[in-house]
């Protein structure tokens, strides 16, 4: 979360202080939910949209925005798609608007390094504790 917060500008008018990563994720969600179904990484987009929709359900309203973001990351790790989501976010229009020049999505070398690390997670079987993702399983 700290990594994605670096260089993130405040997004909403109501949040003039610390920018919230979930607000950025929500902007990406709105952007990609309208993407043409012929997109080459359609399965990753579909899984991202499905997970964000699950986290936005009224039944998960007791979870704060930071908790929703953390749960999203757990789901991405569990499903082996976190690196695809990260790439999708980096290529989004929201990233170009929401991050300043010091942000993670504006530094190609850092982005490549992180993508390499996240790609490694795809090949590992990482169990995720059910209590972390309970609100999406209902």
């Amino acid at each position: 979360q700290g990594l994605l917060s670096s260089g993130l500008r405040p997004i909403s008018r109501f949040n003039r202080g610390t920018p919230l990563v979930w607000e950025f994720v929500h902007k990406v969600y709105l952007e990609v939910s309208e993407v043409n179904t012929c997109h080459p990484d359609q399965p990753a987009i579909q899984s991202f949209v499905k997970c964000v929709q699950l986290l936005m359900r009224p039944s998960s309203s007791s979870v704060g925005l930071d908790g929703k973001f953390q749960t999203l990351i757990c789901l991405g790790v569990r499903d082996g798609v976190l690196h695809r989501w990260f790439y999708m976010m980096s290529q989004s229009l929201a990233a170009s608007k929401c991050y300043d020049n010091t942000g993670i999505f504006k530094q190609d070398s850092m982005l490549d390094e992180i993508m390499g690390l996240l790609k490694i997670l795809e090949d590992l079987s990482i169990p995720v504790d059910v209590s972390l993702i309970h609100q999406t399983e209902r």
Side-chain angles (χ1 to χ4, degrees):
Q1 190 167 354
L3 179 69
L4 289 180
S5 295
S6 175
L8 182 62
R9 298 180 189 126
I11 296 171
S12 74
R13 285 183 238 150
F14 305 110
N15 183 14
R16 296 280 183 205
T18 307
L20 298 173
V21 174
W22 183 257
E23 291 177 333
F24 167 69
V25 168
H26 189 256
K27 281 194 169 293
V28 173
Y29 160 78
L30 292 173
E31 183 179 326
V32 300
S33 13
E34 299 175 0
V35 169
N36 187 331
T37 57
C38 297
H39 192 277
D41 206 11
Q42 187 61 23
I45 291 173
Q46 287 175 338
S47 70
F48 176 79
V49 167
K50 178 184 173 192
C51 288
V52 172
Q53 285 174 339
L54 287 170
L55 291 167
M56 290 178 7
R57 290 187 314 189
S59 63
S60 64
S61 63
S62 64
V63 179
L65 298 180
D66 287 345
K68 289 181 183 195
F69 175 75
Q70 292 164 2
T71 302
L72 182 70
I73 296 304
C74 289
L75 292 170
V77 168
R78 180 194 68 184
D79 298 342
V81 293
L82 190 57
H83 73 285
R84 290 187 186 124
W85 289 357
F86 197 80
Y87 180 75
M88 176 189 62
M89 286 188 245
S90 74
Q91 299 301 304
S92 70
L93 185 58
S96 64
K97 290 181 177 180
C98 297
Y99 281 87
D100 63 26
N101 291 337
T102 64
I104 183 67
F105 296 130
K106 300 285 182 121
Q107 299 179 25
D108 291 337
S109 60
M110 186 183 293
L111 186 60
D112 290 341
E113 291 291 325
I114 292 174
M115 289 295 297
L117 291 172
L118 293 176
K119 180 89 169 104
I120 292 170
L121 292 176
E122 178 183 23
D123 298 328
L124 301 175
S125 176
I126 302 173
V128 177
D129 191 318
V130 176
S131 65
L132 294 174
I133 55 173
H134 69 278
Q135 68 265 19
T136 63
E137 303 297 326
R138 293 180 187 162

